[in-house]
Amino acid sequence: MPDIRRCVVVGAGLLGLSAARSLSRRGWSVCVLEAAGGIGHSRAGSKGTARIFRLGYPDPLYVEMALAARDLWRTLEHESGQRLLHETGQLTLGDDAALAAIRNALTAHGARCDELTAEEARTRYPGIAATAAALVEPDSAVLAADEALRALYVTADAEVRTGTRVTGLDDAGDGVRVTTGDGELRADIVVACAGPDTIGLLGPAAPRVAAQTPTLPQVAYFRCAANQPCEIPVFIEWGDEMIYGLPVPGTRDVVKVSHHAPGPALEQYDPSGTTPFPDDPALLASLVRAVRRLLPALDPEPVAAERCVYDNSIDSDFILDRVGNVVIGCGTSGHGFKFGPLLGELLADLAEGTRPAVDLTRFRLARQ
């Protein structure tokens, strides 16, 4: 193996920048190629100001991964000098079975949680109209998403080329030829993190895959109503729509609200497009109804709206795998941001051929 190992990372979103940072810290020469004109662009799955960081999953593996990711976010905060995690706590509402599974998974890993009656939940969080028992997760937080991308970028010793779309990967066994609109590059390893375009880069080498059509949930922002108590924590309402919300860092009275349930399919994804995806009136109306029902502290008239691309897998588990000299990171299914630096470490492990800290069996490209 050469003294300096060369890696091309395709995509400068959360996964790509996280992988670039991890690889550069391990001594790799890293070049990141981004199809769009900038990081966190209007059609990026990683764009925006705020994401949820939570430990609370009904699946113990994700609780374990979130705990590991939290330590890495703290390290990134220290190295970048930026505050990224804003602790708010979280109120989890809805399906009793889901709440019980979350509680059991949290307690199995020693993470804190408290059960509240509906009355106790309304007393502690008067801005949320809890109607049944709820779970409080005190260690949940809001991630300043745009600041997180910037921190990953500035702490990665990597070259980043924007406006450079990769059109093909040719794995010759002793390296990979990367074809772009501007010419060709050679790399020992390619880490492909191009969202919905990732699997297509494998071409004929792609095995049967666990990918699914990307979707476009609707996001809206609401301001606190006048003369209303408005200390809204992170919240998630488990159910058919999976309504969730979070306060936006840097503001005093703006709350982001969306639905985790799949939005309409996005049949063609062009990350180099310069116009944002249009809002969906029906989905916006459903968010307004959810605010009226669940969040009496908010003015139900949105102050802003946007769409968010979900790069989906068939089962909501991520896709983290290696095919020849190409490492794949995609299928984050709308819940991957909180794991960013951990996923970067796992992709770097795959690139180096070392045993990952997390068992990646269930994240294989071709599900069993």
Side-chain angles (χ1 to χ4, degrees):
M1 184 174 289
D3 292 336
I4 299 178
R5 297 166 290 179
R6 298 164 299 166
C7 179
V8 167
V9 176
V10 184
L14 174 78
L15 290 186
L17 292 176
S18 295
R21 179 175 184 270
S22 294
L23 285 164
S24 67
R25 290 160 63 88
R26 300 184 190 195
W28 287 67
S29 173
V30 182
C31 177
V32 183
L33 305 179
E34 168 57 50
I39 295 171
H41 58 91
S42 64
R43 294 192 170 200
S46 303
K47 75 171 187 299
T49 56
R51 293 290 191 280
I52 292 174
F53 178 86
R54 60 185 166 98
L55 303 177
Y57 273 83
D59 186 330
L61 175 60
Y62 281 111
V63 177
E64 178 185 351
M65 290 173 64
L67 285 165
R70 182 175 63 181
D71 292 340
L72 295 172
W73 282 120
R74 293 301 189 196
T75 298
L76 182 59
E77 285 185 318
H78 175 73
E79 293 183 0
S80 66
Q82 295 294 322
R83 183 183 179 191
L84 305 175
L85 288 169
H86 299 257
E87 294 83 359
T88 65
Q90 175 177 313
L91 190 66
T92 304
L93 310 161
D95 182 80
D96 289 342
L99 266 59
I102 293 168
R103 181 191 66 238
N104 292 339
L106 286 169
T107 55
H109 286 283
R112 297 185 297 166
C113 63
D114 298 312
E115 294 181 81
L116 300 180
T117 66
E119 182 178 359
E120 289 170 335
R122 291 193 300 271
T123 299
R124 186 178 299 190
Y125 302 110
I128 300 179
T131 59
L135 195 67
V136 173
E137 303 171 32
D139 294 323
S140 290
V142 176
L143 263 169
D146 47 2
E147 294 294 336
L149 291 182
R150 189 173 298 112
L152 290 167
Y153 171 72
V154 301
T155 59
D157 183 13
E159 177 188 4
V160 179
R161 303 182 190 177
T162 58
T164 305
R165 185 161 193 166
V166 173
T167 58
L169 302 175
D170 181 13
D171 185 355
D174 59 348
V176 185
R177 185 172 74 248
V178 181
T179 303
T180 77
D182 300 325
E184 293 184 352
L185 295 84
R186 296 283 300 184
D188 299 302
I189 295 289
V190 168
V191 178
C193 304
D197 287 343
T198 302
I199 303 301
L201 293 174
L202 291 175
R208 179 179 59 86
V209 298
Q212 186 167 297
T213 302
T215 53
L216 269 180
Q218 179 71 57
V219 178
Y221 296 84
F222 299 85
R223 198 175 296 280
C224 295
N227 302 317
Q228 289 288 337
C230 199
E231 293 185 8
I232 305 290
V234 170
F235 72 88
I236 297 177
E237 183 185 49
W238 286 74
D240 293 337
E241 289 187 291
M242 288 287 288
I243 297 294
Y244 70 89
L246 58 157
V248 176
T251 72
R252 299 179 62 87
D253 62 350
V254 176
V255 177
K256 175 182 176 180
V257 180
S258 188
H259 57 101
H260 184 67
L266 177 61
E267 299 298 340
Q268 291 189 341
Y269 174 63
D270 180 8
S272 61
T274 57
T275 58
F277 295 107
D279 293 320
D280 184 311
L283 292 177
L284 264 179
S286 73
L287 294 181
V288 169
R289 289 194 297 271
V291 168
R292 292 184 184 278
R293 172 178 59 83
L294 189 61
L295 302 166
L298 300 185
D299 183 334
E301 183 66 29
V303 295
E306 63 187 6
R307 305 298 289 278
C308 182
V309 176
Y310 270 24
D311 171 28
N312 298 311
S313 72
I314 57 172
D315 52 14
S316 293
D317 281 337
F318 310 142
I319 300 174
L320 307 169
D321 206 347
R322 177 169 171 166
V323 179
N325 291 311
V326 180
V327 173
I328 299 296
C330 61
T332 47
S333 302
H335 69 112
F337 203 105
K338 66 182 70 63
F339 301 103
L342 173 64
L343 297 181
E345 289 292 296
L346 297 175
L347 292 169
D349 289 338
L350 289 169
E352 293 195 317
T354 57
R355 183 175 181 177
V358 174
D359 183 357
L360 299 183
T361 301
R362 64 190 279 185
F363 302 116
R364 289 173 178 162
L365 182 62
R367 305 284 203 252
Q368 300 299 318

